[in-house]
Amino acid sequence: SVLQQGMLAGGNIKRRAKNFQGISDDLNQIFFDLPFSVPSYFALITRALCALEGLALTGNSEFDIFWSAYPHAIKRARSLLGTRQTMDFLSVAAAQAAHELTAEERYQVWKGSSTSRNAVS
C-alpha cells in the first residue's frame, strides 16, 4: 500500500515525494468515487504537515513523519475501535506487509527485532 511505502521511504526525499503523490492520487480517486466532502481546512492541514516535515528533515535527514505519527495513530485507533479490533487490524496489516518483503528484507527486520529484544533482556 502507499502507506507502507511511505513508512519504508525514510529520509529518501525522491521516494517520499513519489509516495506523497501516490497518497494524493489515492485520495483524489476516493473523493471522486465516494459522495462526501472534505472540510475546507483539509488542504491547509496537509500543507502545514508538509512544511513541518520539511523542517524536521532539515534537522534530521532520517526523520519519518509516518513513524513519528504511528504512536498517536495507534492510540487514536484504540479509542475509536477498541483494543481487540485495533490489534486485529494491525495483525492483518503486518501479515500483508511481511508478505510483500523479500527474504533479505524479512531477515533484516528479524535481525533488528532480535537485537532490540536482546537489548531489553
Side-chain angles (χ1 to χ4, degrees), residues 2 16 37 42 48 54 63-64 75-76 86 88 97 106-107 109 116-117 121:
V2 173
R16 293 177 73 75
S37 63
F42 183 78
F63 176 79
D64 188 332
K75 185 177 179 181
R76 182 73 173 137
T86 300
D88 289 347
R106 283 192 297 272
Y107 173 73
V109 169
S116 60
R117 274 191 301 237
S121 300

Side-chain angles (χ1 to χ4, degrees), residues 30 33 38-40 47 71 94 105-106 108-109 119:
I30 290 168
D33 291 344
V38 176
S40 58
R47 187 180 304 161
E105 290 169 330
R106 283 192 297 272
Q108 292 300 324
V109 169

Side-chain angles (χ1 to χ4, degrees), residues 4 8 15 94-111:
Q4 290 166 341
L8 293 173
R15 190 169 173 191
Q96 289 173 343
H99 180 72
E100 294 175 8
L101 295 175
T102 65
E104 176 62 25
E105 290 169 330
R106 283 192 297 272
Y107 173 73
Q108 292 300 324
V109 169
W110 174 83
K111 184 177 167 185

Side-chain angles (χ1 to χ4, degrees), residues 5-23 53 57 61-67:
Q5 292 172 20
M7 294 180 85
L8 293 173
N12 184 328
I13 300 300
K14 288 182 181 179
R15 190 169 173 191
R16 293 177 73 75
K18 182 179 176 186
N19 290 336
F20 186 78
Q21 184 61 50
I23 291 170
E53 182 183 29
L57 285 167
S61 63
E62 293 301 313
F63 176 79
D64 188 332
I65 197 163
F66 291 101
W67 285 112

